[in-house]
Structures are given as C-alpha cells and as structure tokens.
Amino acid sequence: MCHCDHQKSDYTRRDFLTKTSLGLGALSLSSLLGPSSVFGGTPSINPNSGILGQPHFPAKAKRVIYLFQSGAPSHLDLFDYKPLLNKMNGQEIPDSVRKGQRLTGMTAGQASFPLAGTIFDFKQHGDSGALMSNLMPHTAKIADELCFVKSMYTEAINHDPAITFFQTGSQLPGRPSIGSWVSYGLGTDNENLPSFVVLVTKNKTGQPLYARLWGNGFLPSEHQGVQFRAGKNPVLYLSDPPGVNSMARQQQLQDLEKLQMQSYDEFEDPEIKARMAQYEMAFRMQTSVPEVMDTESEPDYIYDLYGEDSRKPGTFAANCLLARRLAEKGVKFIQLYHQGWDQHNNLPNRLPRQCKETDQASAALITDLKQRGMLEDTLVIWGGEFGRTSYSQGQLDETFGRDHHPNCFTIFMAGAGVKKGFTYGATDDFGYNVADNPVHVHDFQATLMHLLGVDHERLTYRFQGRRFRLTDVHGHVVNDILS
C-alpha cells in the first residue's frame, strides 16, 4: 500500500525553472566562494579569485594605473609636432583635409576655420628621439620608457559619450567599466582592499565626472570601483558611527548576514551574496584603508620626486603617490581622473597650468615604479577621450582655443608588456586625420586586457539574453606595440 502524500504541490513549472536557473547562476559563483567569513557564518565571495580563476594566458601586467586626463589634452601642443601646420598658421584648413567631417555645435557655425599651429617649442628627447613640447619637461626625461600611440581615434565627438566609450566600451551609460571587467575576471591580490580603486583630483572644474564611469553596470556589485577621497573619511560610510565599536559592528554584521542568507535561501539571488561580500570588504577596509592612505611615512625624497603638490591630499600629485601605494598593496586596477583639459579658449594660458599640475607627478609615478622593480609588471596609461582640432575655435588670437576632435589623438603607455621608447601610428601633416596604423578605442581596450592575460573575446557576461563583453563585437590586439 502506498503511503505517499498525494496532496497537490504548489511548486509550479515556473518555480522550478526559476529556481534552477538561479541555482546555475549561483554555481557559476562557486569559484568566488572563500574559505571563511569575518562574520563567522557561511563562506562568502572570495575577493582573491575572479571568475576566470587565472588568466587565459600568462599576463605581462599584474596591475594597471590609468591616468585619465578628462577634457581631452591637445595632442598638437604636447606630442604631435606638425611643421606644416605651423607654417600655414592662420590660413584656411584645406577641404581635402577636413573631408566633410562632422563638427560640434561650437564650431559648426564658423565662417572661417583658420589653422592654428602650436605656440610651444618641441624638441627631441632620449635615445628614441621622441618629440615633445616644452610643457612636459619631466615626462620628456623618461621618453625612453614611453610607448606613444599617435593614431588613436574614437567615435564620439562630445565629452560624456566619449569618456563613457573609453571607460565602458559603449557610448551609452549602463555598461561595466574597464576596471569592473578586470575585477570580475581576475579579482584582487589583497583581500583587504577593493580590486578597483578610483582617485579623482579634488576641486577641479570642467566636464563633470559621473560615478557610472567606474560603475559595475550589470556585473555583480562587488566589482564596482571604490572611490577614495582626501580627508578624514576617504571612503564614504566606512567609519563606525559614534558609540559603535569594532566588536559591536562585527556582531551587527553577523546578524545581518543571517538575515541575508535567509533571503538568499528563499530567492537564490546571487546579488545577495555580492552584497554580503561588500559588507565583508568594508569591515576589513576599516583597517586597511587608513593604512594605505597615510603617506606620512614616505621619505622626503619621494615627495620631492612627485613635487610639492604631493604633500597636499587630493591633488593629482598626491593621488599618483597613492596609486603607487595601492599598487604595492595588490590593487589590480587604479583609475585616476584629472579634469580641466577642455580648452575651447585661452589655451595658451590654460594648457600650461594643466601640464604643471600633472607632468611631474606622471613622470614621477613611472620613475618610482621602476626604481622599486614594479614597472616591469605594472602598466601605466596616460591620455584623454579624444583630441583637439588643428584649426582655431573662434578667432585666432592670443586667447585662441581648440574644439573637440575624435578622428586622431595621442596617448602614451609605459611598463609591463609595451615597447620602450617607441612610437606607433602617425597623423597627416595637419594632425587632423590618421595617416598610418589607426588604433580604435576597442583596439586599445583589447590590448589592455591582453596585457593582463585576458582574451577580450572570451571574458563575457550573459545579461538580458545576450553575452556582453568590454569590446562588444569589435577590437583587435595591437601586437606591434607589445614587447
């Protein structure tokens, strides 16, 4: 006689499919589960391990420091010397050069487009003979460490979509940033610090920066970039409120974890575990962040190397010094943002100020990494979101400026995996079009991931029915710049 319970089950086919699909999603996170929890409960996500477990192939770079110059530096006044442009200063740009390319609304209505040669002196530097403007004297001293890409081009002509494109691979908001993809794929080498840290120069104006530029998009939330700020509380909401000690906070989080795990048992939403991983990280960061942010132990010669501003928290120089300290602690992706390069007018006065704020510290970071033996496995990147026009915006006079120009510009890299003292690509005689070896933004992103040991075509994430990747369906590794 059968004693089975023949009561009708409330467990529907939809419930089964939902539960199993979420369960499979949870299985994909199994490689992220750590052996222990600071809360003493169920093991949670282990920040040491990304979804790959290990790179696709041996990595040349263990970490990246990306010095993003927001607003777009003028390649024509810093790195891309054009004698013919100088010779034809004031003359109308030839139609054969413009080729009907689109213009921004700021210059589209101009009746005249006078060519604007650089007013700054250029000289060759190092054994490589790299041509650089006198606005970058410190960077010029390390010319033989640098790999210039002078044939970058992009698709966006305005700042917001252009920066978003560089940082996420899409001009539209909502995609994960490069640092988030790196964190998702590779994790971090220090369980007490985020794998992706962001530093923004304080008190700078210009085109606004949005937190979504270092956001995780549709990736699990623990891969979002964490912004460190100057001041008493470098990470918002990290410090315990008055009257709450460490033991009380730990007990509070243990109780919170129990509630979260009850929720996870019911809904099996992987984001619940991701949230708990963030709580755990925040708890550990209460000790690790003050330690890494405290630069008082740095010797005077280091401050002298980075410049006077390095003693002032929140400056670009101070952030470069912090970037080196974070790299030493195993942070995988460190992103610096410095605003103020959008010189539509008064470029002769504004550009030198920007260079003074950034030149010494950028060169010092590379020098410092090299003297510590870290440059060989650290990739440093310097550049903005597009270039500037070779014609003047408005009247060509002592306060002239340059408009946005997506069709060609320069970035430079140094360190792990790229050739030293090397220049790749070239623009035409007016610095207006790529003439040789074009490098698209997706190519740059593919190359960056390659240097970290990641095949950009294989690191994907399924979302809303399709598989996404940083480079979408584009991008080729620029093998010619690899050492």
Side-chain angles (χ1 to χ4, degrees):
M1 182 176 180
C2 177
H3 297 283
C4 300
D5 186 354
H6 291 289
Q7 264 191 318
K8 184 178 178 180
S9 172
D10 292 329
Y11 194 73
T12 66
R13 178 175 179 271
R14 177 176 295 179
D15 291 331
F16 172 77
L17 292 173
T18 301
K19 286 282 189 178
T20 53
S21 64
L22 288 172
L24 291 172
L27 281 175
S28 70
L29 291 173
S30 62
S31 64
L32 301 177
L33 300 182
S36 62
S37 165
V38 296
F39 305 143
T42 304
S44 60
I45 292 175
N46 177 8
N48 287 320
S49 178
I51 197 70
L52 298 180
Q54 58 184 3
H56 290 128
F57 40 80
K60 294 187 176 181
K62 289 184 178 179
R63 64 197 73 84
V64 174
I65 301 175
Y66 192 165
L67 310 178
F68 194 86
Q69 311 303 317
S70 175
S74 170
H75 58 293
L76 298 166
D77 296 293
L78 299 178
F79 309 114
D80 203 3
Y81 181 58
K82 298 298 175 184
L84 182 60
L85 177 61
N86 286 355
K87 182 179 179 180
M88 294 181 63
N89 186 67
Q91 298 182 38
E92 198 72 10
I93 185 171
D95 289 338
S96 60
V97 175
R98 275 191 55 194
K99 299 179 179 178
Q101 296 172 22
R102 62 175 175 160
L103 308 176
T104 74
M106 292 167 283
T107 55
Q110 288 186 194
S112 176
F113 296 89
L115 291 168
T118 185
I119 63 172
F120 304 105
D121 293 331
F122 274 72
K123 291 182 180 179
Q124 290 184 298
H125 297 275
D127 294 335
S128 61
L131 277 163
M132 295 181 65
S133 158
N134 62 353
L135 294 180
M136 306 282 277
H138 294 277
T139 305
K141 293 177 182 177
I142 60 164
D144 287 340
E145 296 291 337
L146 306 181
C147 178
F148 290 95
V149 179
K150 294 189 175 181
S151 52
M152 288 294 308
Y153 73 102
T154 186
E155 299 172 14
I157 199 169
N158 287 311
H159 295 285
D160 191 341
I163 297 177
T164 304
F165 192 38
F166 245 106
Q167 300 304 307
T168 71
S170 172
Q171 295 185 49
L172 301 177
R175 300 283 184 89
S177 60
I178 301 178
S180 294
W181 279 111
V182 172
S183 173
Y184 171 69
L186 300 175
T188 185
D189 297 328
N190 185 339
E191 65 176 9
N192 297 320
L193 287 169
S195 54
F196 177 20
V197 171
V198 176
L199 301 166
V200 179
T201 306
K202 71 175 185 179
N203 299 330
K204 288 293 292 182
T205 58
Q207 292 299 319
L209 297 172
Y210 308 98
R212 59 175 167 77
L213 294 174
W214 49 91
N216 58 293
F218 44 69
L219 294 177
S221 57
E222 74 269 24
H223 301 298
Q224 177 175 327
V226 178
Q227 184 178 351
F228 284 16
R229 296 167 168 83
K232 183 179 179 180
N233 296 302
V235 179
L236 297 181
Y237 314 115
L238 186 64
S239 301
D240 292 331
V244 177
N245 59 33
S246 179
M247 291 298 295
R249 173 52 60 92
Q250 185 170 359
Q251 182 61 53
Q252 179 189 44
L253 294 178
Q254 286 178 5
D255 295 339
L256 178 60
E257 184 187 36
K258 292 177 183 178
L259 294 173
Q260 293 278 23
M261 292 312 297
Q262 289 177 12
S263 181
Y264 180 79
D265 289 342
E266 180 176 357
F267 299 106
E268 295 185 1
D269 181 357
E271 187 61 22
I272 295 173
K273 286 194 173 184
R275 191 180 305 124
M276 291 310 302
Q278 290 176 297
Y279 292 152
E280 289 191 29
M281 175 63 75
F283 184 81
R284 294 190 296 268
M285 284 167 58
Q286 288 184 329
T287 299
S288 61
V289 169
E291 177 186 350
V292 76
M293 296 292 287
D294 182 7
T295 62
E296 290 186 2
S297 61
E298 295 288 344
D300 287 342
Y301 79 87
I302 289 294
Y303 285 115
D304 293 340
L305 178 66
Y306 283 84
E308 181 182 353
D309 280 354
S310 63
R311 296 182 183 272
K312 305 171 186 176
T315 61
F316 180 78
N319 286 346
C320 282
L321 178 53
L322 281 176
R324 188 266 289 164
R325 292 172 64 88
L326 289 164
E328 284 182 308
K329 295 293 185 180
V331 176
K332 187 71 67 176
F333 200 96
I334 305 156
Q335 178 94 55
L336 277 65
Y337 288 93
H338 187 79
Q339 295 164 278
W341 294 95
D342 191 26
Q343 286 121 22
H344 291 276
N345 55 60
N346 202 18
L347 181 146
N349 292 310
R350 295 172 62 198
L351 183 59
R353 287 200 297 268
Q354 285 292 111
C355 292
K356 187 175 181 181
E357 291 174 351
T358 56
D359 171 46
Q360 182 173 353
S362 300
L365 174 61
I366 294 170
T367 301
D368 197 7
L369 290 169
K370 184 178 180 180
Q371 69 188 9
R372 294 169 188 272
M374 295 177 62
L375 191 59
E376 61 190 28
D377 57 12
T378 304
L379 177 66
V380 180
I381 304 166
W382 192 103
E385 64 269 34
F386 42 59
R388 313 300 300 195
T389 55
S390 52
Y391 59 80
S392 172
Q393 179 171 333
Q395 187 174 350
L396 181 60
D397 56 24
E398 64 275 6
T399 62
F400 83 96
R402 300 185 189 276
D403 199 5
H404 310 165
H405 189 62
N407 285 23
C408 61
F409 58 104
T410 300
I411 67 170
F412 69 75
M413 295 180 276
V418 296
K419 292 178 179 177
K420 297 180 179 181
F422 185 71
T423 295
Y424 183 79
T427 59
D428 62 20
D429 289 337
F430 298 90
Y432 202 82
N433 299 290
V434 173
D436 187 36
N437 293 323
V439 178
H440 187 268
V441 171
H442 285 313
D443 300 331
F444 160 79
Q445 293 163 339
T447 306
L448 187 160
M449 299 300 280
H450 177 85
L451 290 167
L452 287 164
V454 176
D455 183 338
H456 71 104
E457 294 183 352
R458 294 167 59 193
L459 180 61
T460 63
Y461 190 88
R462 188 171 181 83
F463 177 67
Q464 294 184 341
R466 64 161 285 196
R467 294 191 180 277
F468 287 86
R469 69 185 205 221
L470 171 63
T471 52
D472 196 32
V473 295
H474 310 284
H476 301 281
V477 175
V478 187
N479 289 297
D480 289 342
I481 72 171
L482 304 182
S483 59

